[in-house]
Amino acid sequence: MSVFSIPYEPRRLQATEARLEAIYNAARKGLRGDTLALAAGMRPTEFRTLCEFDPLAALAEEKGRADGELEMAGVLYDAAKGGDAKAALDILKHTHGWVAKQAVTVEVNQTISITSALQEAQRRVIEGVAEAAATIEDAKPYPERIRADG
């Protein structure tokens, strides 16, 4: 059995200009967390460690996110100013909290007669009692019906 060694060299975490620019560009495009780290050429744990020990890395992420949002807000604003109604509505809804009015109006113009309502209720009770009696009569065994009828 042969034994071989694997050379191990730990990666140095340093906020170099190239690394900060990669973080900035990834954040500017809207990436977050692990995907941002991978797009910037780092492992997620390396990125978190770098942000913890070097505030410039976290600042690069925040600045990239802010610049990306500013750029997209400008594109949306220009589209709305150019007559794009959908873009204008999206700005109103998401930026200014605007909500279209939703009103439902129901009008019922009907008079109710108390005497006719009572008569209708009484008719329903009488019909219900008659139906219940018929159901009970139908549920009796056949010989009992003969004795009751005969």
Side-chain angles (χ1 to χ4, degrees):
M1 189 158 131
S2 67
V3 178
F4 60 93
S5 66
I6 299 174
Y8 173 73
E9 185 178 322
R11 291 173 55 154
R12 290 189 64 213
L13 287 177
Q14 211 172 11
T16 62
E17 187 174 340
R19 191 168 301 239
L20 291 174
E21 191 170 330
I23 292 169
Y24 171 84
N25 288 331
R28 186 168 183 233
K29 292 176 182 169
L31 300 179
R32 296 179 180 273
D34 293 351
T35 54
L36 185 146
L38 293 169
M42 293 178 279
R43 291 186 214 118
T45 54
E46 291 174 336
F47 176 66
R48 287 190 288 273
T49 304
L50 183 63
C51 287
E52 187 177 322
F53 290 118
D54 195 340
L56 280 178
L59 181 63
E61 180 185 4
E62 290 173 18
K63 177 72 170 137
R65 199 171 315 288
D67 287 351
E69 186 176 341
L70 177 65
E71 184 178 353
M72 290 301 109
V75 169
L76 194 58
Y77 183 79
D78 291 343
K81 291 272 290 191
D84 187 348
K86 174 84 170 110
L89 278 173
D90 283 344
I91 289 173
L92 285 172
K93 285 183 208 172
H94 300 291
T95 305
H96 301 293
W98 182 80
V99 178
K101 290 183 182 177
Q102 296 178 351
V104 177
T105 304
V106 177
E107 291 184 30
V108 178
N109 295 326
Q110 185 178 11
T111 56
I112 299 173
S113 168
I114 292 177
T115 55
S116 64
L118 288 173
Q119 288 171 351
E120 181 66 24
Q122 185 177 14
R123 184 186 62 77
R124 287 186 193 150
V125 168
I126 291 170
E127 287 176 1
V129 169
E131 286 178 21
T135 304
I136 291 171
E137 186 65 32
D138 290 342
K140 286 182 181 177
Y142 185 71
E144 288 183 18
R145 278 195 276 170
I146 295 175
R147 276 187 254 139
D149 292 340

